[in-house]
Every structure is written in structure tokens, then in C-alpha cells.
Amino acid sequence: MKNRIAILLLLGIVLIGLNACRDNGRNNDRSPRKTEGFNEGWRFYLGEIPEASNTTFDDHGWRQLELPHDWAIEGDFSEDHPSGSGGGALPGGIGWYRKSFFLDKSYEGKKIFVDFDGVYMNSDVWINGIHLGYRPFGYISFRYDLTPHLKFDGENIISVRVDNSEQPNSRWYSGCGIYRNVWLTSVDPVYVDLWGVYVTTPEVTQENALVSVRTTVKNEMPQEADVRTETSIVEKSGKKVASASVSVILAAGSSREMEQDIPVRKPVLWTLDDPYLYEVVTRIFVNDKQTDEYVTPFGIRHFTFDAEKGFFLNGKSTKIRGVCMHHDLGCLGAAVNMRAIERQLEILREMGVNGIRTAHNPPAPELLRLCDQMGFIVMNETFDMWRKRKTTYDYSRYFNEWHEKDLTDHILRDRNHPSVFMWSIGNEVLEQWTHVDADTLDIQQANLLLNLKRDETALAGANGEEMSVNALLTKKLADIVKRLDPTRPVTTGNNETNPANHLFRSGALDLIGFNYHGYDYPKVPENFPGKPFIATETTSGLMTRGYYRMPSDSMYIWPVRWDIPFTDPSYACSSYDNCHVPWGCTHEQAWNDVKNADFISGMYIWTGFDYLGEPTPFWFPARSSYFGIVDLAGFPKDVYYMYQSEWTDKEMLHLFPHWNWQPGELVDVWAYYNQADEVELFLNGVSQGIKRKEGDKHHVFWRLAFEPGTIKAVSRKNGKEVLAREIKTAGEPAQIRLTPDRRVIKADGQDLSFITVEVLDEEGTICPNADNLIRFNLAGNGKIAGVDNGNPTSMERFKASERKAFYGKCLVVVKGEARKGRIHLTAESDGLLKDAIEIEVTK
Ligand code: GAL
């Protein structure tokens, strides 16, 4: 590789820029490209109005709103909604959006596109009454060219129809509507195509990196163009560290991919602790006049998945300590909000998480941007089903027609993110099972599906062995990914661990992934020789924050059968890590299965946060999950601290449960700790004994007969106190305490403050069973964006100005306006002393 760099330097193709010049950014004044938020000034109607696609339609009665928007989260929970409790028991339906806009003369002669990051689902888009297209997949990003249909001397109307009426179509809450950002992009007619820059770092050492940049430039002028592509690598400070330039003649209406290899000396590597980002700044010139500037953040890092030694990042052995995440943001629903995602990631990082799996679909671009910036190892997943359906109206209906396009667009969109380390082409797709045979398709259908020519025999494998259609389909999907991005392994989440699984049999998967089946891990090296391995999904522990079922050493394996309604009057799962689904296991077990097996690259726990829908083990009125290590409101459950003790070096000691029980009742007291050899527990000053973690246990526990007062735990190392924690018996609820995560937020109309609301007794001890109704009053430059308390069975609305406490706590989320000022929030409840806080909204 050194040779390659030397040759390039010698040829003088590469110019190392010494002067600092930062001219990157989305809307640089010197760039003819403009990317504008297209979220404001929409009107919305919930219901079917086919005429709304016409320009003449009068929408003045419609509600005005800003995107991103999720209409389902605004609704009431009901057993009658077709989504079912699995989909969150919230409404679906058809919704229409319309926006009127004017373009001044500066847009004339430009190419103008509308870019949707995601619409759930079945969207149709019209501009000035002309149908631009239809896109069924609710998680994919897409673009339409508005140019030929726009007016510069009058009003333009864009209309979007969203159809999420046929449900169930998802095994979790999807949300409804234009729930991600929309952009208006305008460029000169010679420009970098959509997702038109692909950056890889084929060679990386401490001394040098080779950055390979492929740029697709389009000429939409009526004549040929002499096009120069200037590519610069810009470091964080804004300094240009390297650049290259290439010229070509592009025929009218044509596009061309240009490849440039650019060495960077002494690269700063992207690591989990210091996720250093560079930018590729691409400038296009036609006859020396700049026609485009396009900025692509990227990172310089190298990694391997090794069959014996697991995952290495920049040569350093790194266990992936990941969690699976669905896309909803609790009480904000599916509507994307940068700060809400960032908060989730911050909470997970404090726990020691270093990986995110985008279960089970292409994520919002903002999630990946944050993972790039914060340092997470992302398993980026495309599909939860292929052609075999999991729910009646799911994506399997569209798979045959759309899978190539959707998978292609997903990879093209996301392949520059340094945080993405693997592609998953499917989660537990039913095609994996050995009993799903090739014979469900005839040869003709199979050929159509696999896109082979009529005379090829789909069922004949390359190495003479008979390949099933499902194995060939796996290969086809993996090939699509590898053609677009050969730098990352392709995997799938499998709950059929037998090597006869059709997906495995394809031989096309680079990384073997098991969902659950920890007891099968030891067989992997023998069953899949030479293949690296990852636990794509683990655990499925069930917990309700604040709820404890004793004795803590007895197990609750719920539901007894997954296909038969299961109920327990509590509608709650114990927080002692003693409740899990039959296909899962405890958190301690799942971590132990992975912890000491070097060949396992890591794990993605089901799940980091609770999410809406899939309220296993219960059915309605349960409507959100119990799987989270953190509840839906963002409050950690106790097991969060087990991970913190194992996954971080931060000194910690976590003592639970609360200390409000019946006199004489036997209570199990647990502690998670690290950086210490032992913990001693005291009840009202009397020692209850010293405990040390034993065997593969990551907790210690005592069984005490309850008496009111104080329990106190002290952790010690070499006899010296490390930390102490105390819990007191709380008296009656007497007051409210508000604690915002941030007292100062940006005046950008999007930023949020998450305010924890606690019910305390007179002395300031949290009342662990309090469920008082708290009412909020907001004045000033903001509004309440949502309320929650983490209770998976609450039927209260998320968009409201009141919430009941759940085990002593609830949450109110406040959004600032796009102008400077202050927000004053008061929380009141009958019989309690109120509390108030101020949030500053600043430019
Ligand atoms: C897995 C599945 C997840 C979720 C989980 C619940 O099998 O991949 O999507 O349903 O079970 O335990």
C-alpha cells in the first residue's frame, strides 16, 4: 500500500493542502447546492380525501403542523385498533398532508428535489397535481424530482397520501405519517447524484491511510460538459489535509462514477472513545465555474471479525456490548427528534453500551449521525420479513416487487457511516426454517423472484449441491449488499441455529448470527468452521421498573406459551432479573454466555429501551414492551446497573429494592457493584452480613425481615470503603420534585428538555409506590411535547398536560420554540407541595 501512496504522490495527482480552509457545510453561500428543511407549513387531514391531490382542492379547514409528525401517538389506546396491542394499540388509518410553497427566481434553472427520510407507510406523492410515485416500505428514504412540474411565478402544492390502514403490518409500533424529516434540495444541473459519494478506507496504518472516494456526477444539461471533480479531505479543525482532482467530459443526460484514491498522512483514527470524523468535500466545476459542493462525513478505521478471536477495532480486541432498539421515542412516538435520540444514546452509553442494532429496519439518518459522533458499533438491518409474512399486511406483500430497490437504497444511503460495521439483511425471516421448502415456488416463480433469466435453473447451486430458493434468495440479497459495499460483513439474525438453515446453507453470510440459543454457542466453531460469530439478539428479560416479585431467586418464565393469551393480575414483571420469555434467559446468563467466549464478537440485547407495542408476555391492556433495560420514559430499571458494573470502570454501587414493605415481610435486598471486593448491608445500623459475588453471579443479595427505617450498603476494597448507598422507608407523599436533564436548550424549535417528576415525602425521600396525578402548567417559549411514566399498561394519552406517577415517577418533555426566551413549568397535585422550574431557550 505504501507503494500505491508513493506513486500517487509522485504523479502529483494529489495535492496536500497546507492552508486552513473550511468551506464545508450544508448551505455554504459559495455552494450552488441548497438543502433546506421542508418540515414547516404543512396541513394535515386524518382520513381519505382522494381529491386532495388536486391543486384546486381547498385545504383551509385542515390542521396546520410541522413535520416530523406521527398521528398515531396522538390517539387513544384501544383494543379495537387494528394494530392490536402488538402494534401499540394506537390508531392507524389514512392521512393526507399538503404544503403550499413559492420559489423565487433564484431557483430557476436548478434541479429541485424533495427528499423524504421516511414515511410510514404506502406513501403517494403529487406535485401540482402530478403523481410522482408510490413507496410502500415505511422505513426507506426516497427522492422525487420536482423540476419539470414546478412554477416560479405562482403557488406550488405538494400533497402526500399515507396509508397505514391495513393492519396489523408490524410486530411493534410503527407510527403513522411523515415521521421523519423532509428536505428540499436544489442544485445546478451538473451535480453529485443522490448518495453519490462513497468513501472507504482500504488501507489504514498509524502513518498513512488511503481514502478511496467514488463520486457519481450527473450532467442534466442539454449539452455535454467538461466536468472537474475536486475532492478534499478536511479534518475536524476545518483544515484541508489532502485533495485530488479529476476531469471528464460528460455527455448530456449522462452520469459517471469517478474514483479517486487519496492518501492521508498520520490519520486520526475513529475509535469508540474518540470517534474522530473527517469530511470529504466534493466540488464540481464546469468550465471552472463551481456547480456543486457536497459534504460527506466519514471516519478512518479498520476492523475485523475473527472466527476465533472475535471483533477487533483498529487492531484492538473489542467485545460488542450492544442493544437492539426499535425506532419509537416513547411519548414522542415515531416522530424523529435529534435530541430524543441523543438522550437515548447518552443513557445507554452511561450503562456501558457500545453497540446499537437497528431492529429491524433502516433507521433514521439522525441515529447514524449520532452513532458516528458518539462512537457506537451499529448493526444496520433492512428487513424483518422477506416473502413469508409475519403479520397479515406486512412488507412480505411488497417484497417481491420492492426488495431490490429498498435494499439497494438502504446500503447506498448508509454506507459512509463509520459507525456501521455490519449489514443485516433479515431478522428471523421465516425462510430460514428447514421445513420451508423450495417447493412453495415453482421454477418460474423462483426465477422471477431471484431475477434470473428464464432458462437458468434457480434450484441448482453453484457447487453442484442443490440450493433451495431460500438459500438462493439469501445469496441474492447478500450479493446486492456486497456489490454496493464489500467492506462490511453481511449477517442475519437467526433463531434456527441448525447449519441446515437455508440462510446458512447459502454460504453467502460472512458473519453467523444467532438470536437467543446461548446453549448452542459452544457448537458454533464446529458447525460453522472458519466463520466469525455474533449473538445478534439475546436475553428478552421482562421487567417493570419499580416492581419486585419475591423470592428473587425463583424464576418466572412468561408467557407459558407464546401463542396463547397469558395473563397475571399484576400485569407486571419482576425487576430482579428473574423473569424472561421461554426463548430467552436472564441478563446475567446472556452476558455470561458471551463474556468469556473469545470467538463471540459480541451481543445485542433485546432491548435497550422499552418500545411501544409487543407487550409480551401480556396482551391488552398492556401496550408497550417489558424488554427494556430502560423503561419507555427513559428511567433505568435495576438491571441497568448490572451492566454498568460489568461494562464500565466507573465506581458504582446500586442497592434495591425500595424500603416500603409490610412489617415482618421477607424482602430480598440486592446490590450490583464494581471496583470493590465486598458489600456489607446494614438495617437500621445493624450489620446483615458481608457478601461477595460468587461464581458467575453479578449481584449479591440478603433476605431480611422488613422493619421500617434505613438500609445501607457499603462497598469496600481491601477493607477500605469505596461507596455507600442508603434507602429509607418513605412516608406519605407530600411534595413534587422536578429535575430537568437540561436547563438550557437551543431555540431551534426542536430541542427538548426531559424533566423527571418525583413524588417525595416530607423529608425528601422518594415514595416508591406513589401514583399521584401530576398536572403541568407551562408558560413562555415552549410547549409540552409529551408525558409518560413508563407504565406499559397505562391508557393515559402521551400528548397531555397531566400524568400519573408510576412507582413514584413520571416524565414531562418540553420543547422550545424557535425564538429566544424562557419556559416556566409548574407541577401540581392534590395534597402535594408543588414545584416549578425555568428552562432557558437560547440561540
Ligand atoms: C425475537 C424477535 C424480536 C422480538 C423478540 C421478543 O425473536 O427477533 O423482534 O420479537 O423476539 O422476545
Side-chain angles (χ1 to χ4, degrees), residues 491-538:
T491 191
T492 48
N494 297 277
N495 51 340
E496 163 64 291
T497 60
N498 191 312
N501 171 329
H502 290 271
L503 277 51
F504 296 145
R505 268 166 52 196
S506 71
L509 301 173
D510 309 300
L511 180 60
I512 300 297
F514 284 5
N515 285 6
Y516 310 94
H517 296 86
Y519 41 83
D520 285 340
Y521 299 167
K523 291 184 243 162
V524 166
E526 189 185 323
N527 284 347
F528 303 93
K531 287 268 182 185
F533 175 77
I534 186 156
T536 36
E537 192 173 314
T538 71

Side-chain angles (χ1 to χ4, degrees), residues 69-72 87 91-95 97 116-124 135-140 142 160-180 327 334 361-362 385 391 393-395 398:
H69 172 242
D70 171 7
W71 79 70
I94 294 172
Y97 295 84
F116 289 87
D117 286 350
V119 181
Y120 202 95
M121 63 183 287
N122 287 313
S123 64
D124 280 279
R135 198 73 187 234
F137 194 24
Y139 297 106
I140 202 72
F142 53 92
V160 182
R161 178 183 185 268
V162 184
D163 186 349
N164 194 5
S165 56
E166 291 183 311
Q167 300 200 42
N169 58 52
S170 176
R171 301 186 300 109
W172 57 88
Y173 174 78
S174 62
C176 292
I178 310 180
Y179 71 103
R180 290 183 183 162
H327 66 300
N361 46 260
M385 73 294 289
T391 55
Y393 299 104
D394 69 22
Y395 182 79
Y398 312 108

Side-chain angles (χ1 to χ4, degrees), residues 171 360 427-428 515-516 537 540 581 583 606 614 627:
R171 301 186 300 109
H360 301 298
N427 171 61
E428 296 184 355
N515 285 6
Y516 310 94
E537 192 173 314
S540 277
V581 297
W583 54 94
W606 193 263
E614 205 177 35
F627 294 116

Side-chain angles (χ1 to χ4, degrees), residues 797-817:
R797 293 170 70 102
F798 287 123
K799 301 279 177 195
S801 55
E802 59 178 37
R803 192 68 170 193
K804 282 176 95 172
F806 181 60
Y807 293 115
K809 283 186 188 189
C810 64
L811 175 83
V812 52
V813 186
V814 166
K815 188 185 244 184
E817 287 176 1

